[in-house]
Amino acid sequence: MWVYVFRRLLMTIPILLGVTIICFALVKLAPGDPVQNLVRPETSPEDIAKLQAHYGLDKPLVIQYFVWLWRVLNGDLGVSIANNAPVAREVLNAFSNTIVIALISVVIAFVLSMIFGIAAAYRPGSLLDKAITAVAVFGISVPTFWLGVVLVIIFAVDLNWLPATGMGSKGSDDFSYFRIEDLKFAIMPIIAFALPPFAIMTRTTRSSISEILNQDFVQTLRAKGLSEFHVICHAVRNMMPAGAAMLGLQLGYLIGGSVLVETVFTWPGTGFLINKAILTRDIPLLQGTILVLAAAFVLINLVVDLLQSLIDPRIKRI
Amino acid sequence: MKGLFWQGANRLVAASIIAAASFAVTAHAESVLRVAMTAADIPDWTGAPDQGYEGYRFAGYTMYDALALWDLSSSDKAADIVPGLAESWAVDPKDPLTWTFNLRKGVKFHDGCTWNADSAIWNLDRVKNSKALQYNARHAGMQGWAVGAVSSYEKVDDYTIKIHSTVPASMLPYSMAMLYMISNCKVTESGNNYGKFAEHPAGTGPYMFDKLVPHERLELVKNPNYWNPTRIPKNDRLVLLPMPEASTRAAALMAGQVDFVEAPSPDTIPALKGAGMQIITVPYPHNWDYLLRMNKGPFSDVRVRRAANMAINRQDVVDMLQGIATPAYNTLIESQPWYGNPVVYEYDTEKATALLKEAGCYPCKIKIGISTSGSGQMQPLPMNELVKEQLDEAGFETELVPMDWNALISVFFQGSGASDFDGINFSMAPIDASQGIVNKWMTTAAPPNCCNWGFYKNPEVDKLGLEAMAEFDPEKRNAILTKMNDTVMADAPELFIVHDLNPRALSPKLTGFVQAQSWFQDLTPIVVNP
């Protein structure tokens, strides 16, 4: 087991390196220059050159990459070109704003999708199944930014029940999920965050459970006289490894930051940060954020893999 | 009995104390003005704002002053400069390369440090002298251009400095209005570490830094000791929030989360009006146009440029924008002193087609770089679609190439020689004669020096430009600049489309705001009524 964990962690290193190389190259391929955001058209070429030297952008790309890598290995993610703040601090702040909301959303989505998915699978083709499938298809098809705007129009503008944007009157510094006033700011983003994973997981649960219910062992269970509730419990237990895998993937996607949802609600998380970093070509910030996210994604997958072997004894990790 | 009496009396006293206290609290309740900016992030707040002139507007002139300041007190005329941290200035009658600035006395920075000639020289070094301890490459990049024409400077006495220029620079005071003076004491105290200075920056402006939540909010408070008593803020706290999404800004205003919204999109204006919001529009020196490449390609022929200008039905564009713009026939707006009497190329598709045929470019293929968003770019996608439709009707074959704003900035910086675009849709801010005329049309302003993107070239214009820079009498200079602008406009060096009217939406609680004809605005007179 521990050997497996160690091997998996070791494997993350080439993955992270690959991600950063691709990302570094892509940002560089895109037209535009981070320094041009920091100067005016009238700025003299000499002043621009000094600024480029200041950020090390005058060096060849490969050198820039290795300089960055060396710093990262020494625990320094650099400073943002846009606001001079340490990237590590920026990313951790944004990450903490995203992770909580992503966890809440994915847990809500998971619980609901289990209930709806099982209900739909239990009587395939029934009215209930069709209704649930319709909701799930709607959830997959609706663009979340559109849903976000519609939620704002209904609940913030028309009904005035919930605040439209941000993280409270003092910002994320002073935000607490345990204060109703603050929690109100998170409700609409949570709904917009939770809808796509809810829809996807409902679909998956429905198909896995209905497949399991058609298997021979279920017939045996019924023949033995087990109650329907216990039969379902068996089916759910059988579907759990797949469920855990999709839960992990969905959580990973959400942490990657829903750029659109976070922009609509001005929620200062990682999606918001990445969007800003791309638009301003803030390379250190972009690199740092992607590195942290890739690491989080890999770790979540590792946790899921380990959980799977706990849930399902057939999966052995050596 | 007595006990009961005392208990009652005590309660009465306690109640009155609480009542008095709560009255005191209400009487001194802080009035907060919350502004939703279009910026994607909080502009640099250490005295070198980025993110275009929106950064200057909210993180510049709020906390900092310059030697000269923009007079933003009127909606009726294009804003001009007035004395700021300098009480007066004059060029040496015998030496047109030397300016004397007499500094204002009795001004203190927010940290208590005294403003004087030493602070002024220190600030000039900050952006000009790369050997100075306080030199900052970022500040030089953002603000150094203001002293681009300056060769040296020196202190004469505690409240007088001299600034020398390399060439006669009659418009130097305008540049000086763009260079913020930050507290030398505070930076020195921070060990010349601007990251540390950013934690509690100090200027001399009407607002003082209070706190910052990165990417989310910048909170400023009133400077009760501001040197200009008429501009001591009538609101106690100014909260600046970046909200790049137009629909988010509108929703935040209607939900009561902000009081003042920049650039609501035209389609949200009816809803905002319906909800009782004040929509304020006023012309300002903004120009939504196509910069044209004139050193090669179809637009090197003046007939093609005129044809393009005649192909545009500007009223259609204005109608599409629900009236938040006015038709443009010039870089400048009419209220600017150099507008003059320029040639106007009115909408006439047939004439445009005839001109194209005469020029031998029919159908005339052109490639235009456009952005998907950006500072001053208004609603670039639908607007460009409409412009393309109109151009094509007259005989152009327009190819629009969309890219993000940063990429278009890059195309602009490199000049028209570096790419194969015949034009770019790039809004600029002709806020003064230097940015609107001289640095836009003189051959010396061609890339990489400055802003003559399409390499416009006219010897007469170059001559007038030099004359204007050497003319220190404002009236005579304005006459030269007017002639210069008129001469340029006859050559149709740009495709003029519309001027933005800079809509803002304000909560009905706000009174006292005067929207100036400027990119900058004074927020100090705004009263936030309960």
Side-chain angles (χ1 to χ4, degrees):
Chain A
M1 183 77 173
W2 291 113
V3 178
Y4 173 75
V5 173
F6 182 71
R7 211 173 59 204
R8 278 292 303 266
L9 281 175
L10 213 62
M11 266 163 61
T12 61
I13 294 171
I15 295 176
L16 292 180
L17 277 179
V19 167
T20 56
I21 290 174
I22 292 172
C23 156
F24 207 80
L26 281 181
V27 172
K28 275 289 171 178
L29 280 177
D33 181 338
V35 160
Q36 277 160 2
N37 276 308
L38 302 178
V39 297
R40 294 200 25 96
E42 298 89 344
T43 303
S44 70
E46 295 81 53
D47 277 346
I48 295 181
K50 274 183 205 154
L51 204 51
Q52 262 160 346
H54 178 73
Y55 286 106
L57 295 166
D58 53 341
K59 298 194 176 68
L61 192 55
V62 181
I63 307 269
Q64 283 182 42
Y65 177 77
F66 281 108
V67 167
W68 173 80
L69 198 62
W70 178 248
R71 280 214 206 116
V72 171
L73 291 175
N74 287 300
D76 174 15
L77 291 181
V79 294
S80 154
I81 291 183
N83 68 358
N84 256 350
V87 169
R89 197 182 71 198
E90 299 274 290
V91 179
L92 286 182
N93 279 343
F95 194 71
S96 64
N97 293 339
T98 295
I99 183 113
V100 182
I101 202 167
L103 271 173
I104 297 176
S105 307
V106 93
V107 166
I108 293 176
F110 183 70
V111 171
L112 290 179
S113 71
M114 289 305 283
I115 298 171
F116 281 82
I118 294 167
Y122 190 63
R123 294 240 184 283
S126 67
L127 202 63
L128 184 66
D129 177 27
K130 281 180 185 152
I132 290 171
T133 308
V135 171
V137 170
F138 172 82
I140 294 170
S141 336
V142 153
T144 47
F145 60 90
W146 176 84
L147 179 76
V149 173
V150 170
L151 287 174
V152 167
I153 291 172
I154 297 174
F155 294 105
V157 175
D158 288 347
L159 297 173
N160 225 332
W161 289 353
L162 297 170
T165 68
M167 280 188 87
S169 58
K170 293 204 175 96
S172 64
D173 269 10
D174 192 44
F175 185 88
S176 161
Y177 282 93
F178 301 106
R179 220 180 299 142
I180 297 291
E181 277 312 303
D182 286 357
L183 193 60
K184 277 183 171 178
F185 285 85
I187 292 176
M188 287 196 288
I190 286 177
I191 298 175
F193 256 86
L195 188 71
F198 159 72
I200 293 167
M201 290 195 286
T202 304
R203 299 277 294 158
T204 323
T205 311
R206 182 195 170 278
S207 61
S208 327
I209 296 277
S210 87
E211 195 188 311
I212 294 166
L213 286 178
N214 281 327
Q215 282 180 15
D216 292 345
F217 83 93
V218 174
Q219 218 167 2
T220 317
L221 291 176
R222 283 190 173 132
K224 280 173 73 180
L226 234 63
S227 70
E228 280 304 296
F229 177 75
H230 283 106
V231 170
I232 296 283
C233 286
H234 275 276
V236 170
R237 178 93 200 258
N238 271 279
M239 172 264 152
M240 265 309 162
M246 73 186 179
L247 184 71
L249 270 185
Q250 295 300 325
L251 181 62
Y253 287 134
L254 287 189
I255 287 176
S258 175
V259 171
L260 296 169
V261 172
E262 289 188 353
T263 307
V264 166
F265 291 107
T266 337
W267 189 267
T270 44
F272 191 74
L273 198 64
I274 282 197
N275 184 30
K276 207 178 62 61
I278 292 173
L279 288 179
T280 55
R281 305 281 190 275
D282 193 338
I283 296 174
L285 186 61
L286 191 57
Q287 286 280 297
T289 317
I290 288 182
L291 186 69
V292 170
L293 290 181
F297 203 96
V298 169
L299 281 180
I300 289 170
N301 276 327
L302 177 65
V303 171
V304 167
D305 279 357
L306 298 178
L307 272 181
Q308 272 180 327
S309 57
L310 289 181
I311 300 168
D312 187 350
R314 286 172 301 181
I315 307 171
K316 283 264 186 295
R317 307 286 186 203
I318 308 152
Chain B
M1 188 69 192
K2 192 181 169 192
L4 207 63
F5 171 75
W6 275 114
Q7 218 176 343
N10 275 342
R11 280 190 189 157
L12 201 68
V13 171
S16 6
I17 290 172
I18 291 168
S22 62
F23 173 75
V25 169
T26 353
H28 292 105
E30 195 184 43
S31 69
V32 182
L33 174 61
R34 298 160 303 173
V35 175
M37 305 181 284
T38 70
D41 199 355
I42 292 161
D44 178 286
W45 61 94
T46 63
D50 52 351
Q51 317 219 25
Y53 280 151
E54 188 174 30
Y56 282 67
R57 178 155 69 235
F58 292 120
Y61 291 108
T62 46
M63 275 186 283
Y64 304 98
D65 290 319
L67 291 179
L69 287 173
W70 291 93
D71 175 13
L72 305 170
S73 59
S74 159
S75 293
D76 306 325
K77 53 178 202 295
D80 203 353
I81 55 169
V82 288
L85 287 179
E87 273 171 340
S88 62
W89 48 78
V91 72
D92 189 331
K94 288 181 212 123
D95 173 13
L97 300 181
T98 299
W99 283 83
T100 304
F101 284 82
N102 300 304
L103 307 184
R104 193 173 294 279
K105 292 177 183 133
V107 179
K108 288 218 183 293
F109 286 102
H110 301 150
D111 59 342
C113 185
T114 305
W115 157 256
N116 55 27
D118 290 328
S119 356
I121 299 292
W122 181 95
N123 269 287
L124 289 163
D125 273 343
R126 170 174 63 98
V127 295
K128 188 79 187 165
N129 175 8
S130 58
K131 291 193 181 72
L133 287 175
Q134 70 272 27
Y135 177 81
N136 180 318
R138 279 172 71 95
H139 282 225
M142 260 316 165
Q143 300 240 287
W145 64 277
V147 286
V150 171
S151 58
S152 62
Y153 34 82
E154 77 253 358
K155 172 180 168 179
V156 177
D157 60 43
D158 274 354
Y159 287 95
T160 315
I161 59 167
K162 273 194 194 313
I163 297 183
H164 308 280
S165 61
T166 46
V167 287
S170 63
M171 285 168 275
L172 187 78
Y174 285 89
S175 310
M176 287 302 146
M178 312 302 282
L179 176 64
Y180 296 118
M181 299 294 167
I182 69 176
S183 166
N184 45 320
C185 306
K186 196 83 189 178
V187 176
T188 312
E189 203 180 284
S190 315
N192 294 308
N193 175 346
Y194 282 82
K196 215 165 167 207
F197 176 69
E199 287 167 14
H200 220 99
T204 56
Y207 289 95
M208 306 187 288
F209 177 87
D210 182 48
K211 71 173 237 184
L212 170 102
V213 183
H215 312 299
E216 293 172 50
R217 57 204 293 127
L218 172 61
E219 298 200 14
L220 309 179
V221 289
K222 158 165 125 175
N223 175 5
N225 307 316
Y226 189 57
W227 55 267
N228 181 351
T230 59
R231 285 193 64 223
I232 293 178
K234 295 200 166 54
N235 41 75
D236 300 320
R237 179 174 290 269
L238 174 63
V239 179
L240 301 164
L241 306 149
M243 281 190 204
E245 253 320 288
S247 51
T248 308
R249 290 197 296 277
L253 180 64
M254 288 200 271
Q257 272 185 276
V258 296
D259 314 297
F260 184 114
V261 164
E262 291 283 292
S265 68
D267 48 329
T268 57
I269 288 180
L272 288 167
K273 273 188 184 158
M277 304 299 158
Q278 318 171 47
I279 305 290
I280 302 177
T281 56
V282 96
Y284 74 119
H286 170 275
N287 186 22
W288 198 90
D289 57 354
Y290 284 6
L291 305 181
L292 305 177
R293 174 170 68 173
M294 286 166 281
N295 53 346
K296 59 178 173 179
F299 289 125
S300 55
D301 188 329
V302 66
R303 289 170 296 187
V304 178
R305 302 200 296 267
R306 286 180 180 145
N309 271 290
M310 287 175 181
I312 303 301
N313 182 347
R314 293 158 177 90
Q315 194 54 46
D316 259 10
V317 185
V318 170
D319 291 345
M320 188 186 78
L321 294 169
Q322 311 219 16
I324 61 150
T326 54
Y329 299 95
N330 198 313
T331 309
L332 308 174
I333 57 171
E334 281 183 51
S335 56
Q336 288 183 281
W338 324 284
Y339 189 83
N341 190 18
V343 185
V344 165
Y345 296 103
E346 289 282 3
Y347 171 52
D348 189 336
T349 310
E350 279 167 28
K351 239 190 203 170
T353 311
L355 268 173
L356 283 182
K357 285 183 177 161
E358 190 190 315
C361 190
Y362 187 86
C364 201
K365 276 194 184 177
I366 51 171
K367 189 172 167 184
I368 307 291
I370 66 170
S371 71
T372 49
S373 65
S375 166
Q377 296 289 85
M378 303 179 77
Q379 316 274 317
L381 295 178
M383 287 168 77
N384 276 300
E385 285 296 328
L386 182 58
V387 169
K388 171 188 155 61
E389 209 175 281
Q390 296 179 351
L391 285 172
D392 289 357
E393 205 182 314
F396 284 95
E397 238 176 59
T398 315
E399 184 195 347
L400 297 178
V401 182
M403 60 192 93
D404 76 34
W405 178 228
N406 197 288
L408 191 64
I409 292 179
S410 185
V411 172
F412 173 79
F413 268 84
Q414 287 162 353
S416 67
S419 58
D420 60 346
F421 291 112
D422 297 302
I424 52 173
N425 169 220
F426 197 83
S427 287
M428 293 182 70
I431 64 169
D432 56 32
S434 167
Q435 292 180 52
I437 308 172
V438 176
N439 260 332
K440 210 164 151 64
W441 305 123
M442 286 182 69
T443 13
T444 47
N449 295 335
C450 191
C451 314
N452 183 356
W453 180 80
F455 294 88
Y456 172 78
K457 197 173 183 181
N458 183 337
E460 198 197 335
V461 168
D462 283 344
K463 197 176 123 251
L464 287 168
L466 289 176
E467 270 175 41
M469 289 202 290
E471 178 55 69
F472 291 89
D473 179 277
E475 269 179 39
K476 284 185 192 158
R477 183 174 66 236
N478 281 351
I480 301 170
L481 289 165
T482 307
K483 194 174 165 201
M484 183 175 172
N485 190 55
D486 282 1
T487 315
V488 178
M489 291 307 127
D491 287 336
E494 269 180 29
L495 174 51
F496 302 109
I497 302 161
V498 290
H499 299 297
D500 186 14
L501 280 180
N502 204 9
R504 290 195 163 89
L506 272 64
S507 145
K509 287 194 305 189
L510 304 189
T511 51
F513 178 56
V514 177
Q515 179 150 294
Q517 293 196 15
S518 168
W519 281 72
F520 317 119
Q521 297 296 334
D522 189 0
L523 303 177
T524 60
I526 299 179
V527 178
V528 185
N529 299 296

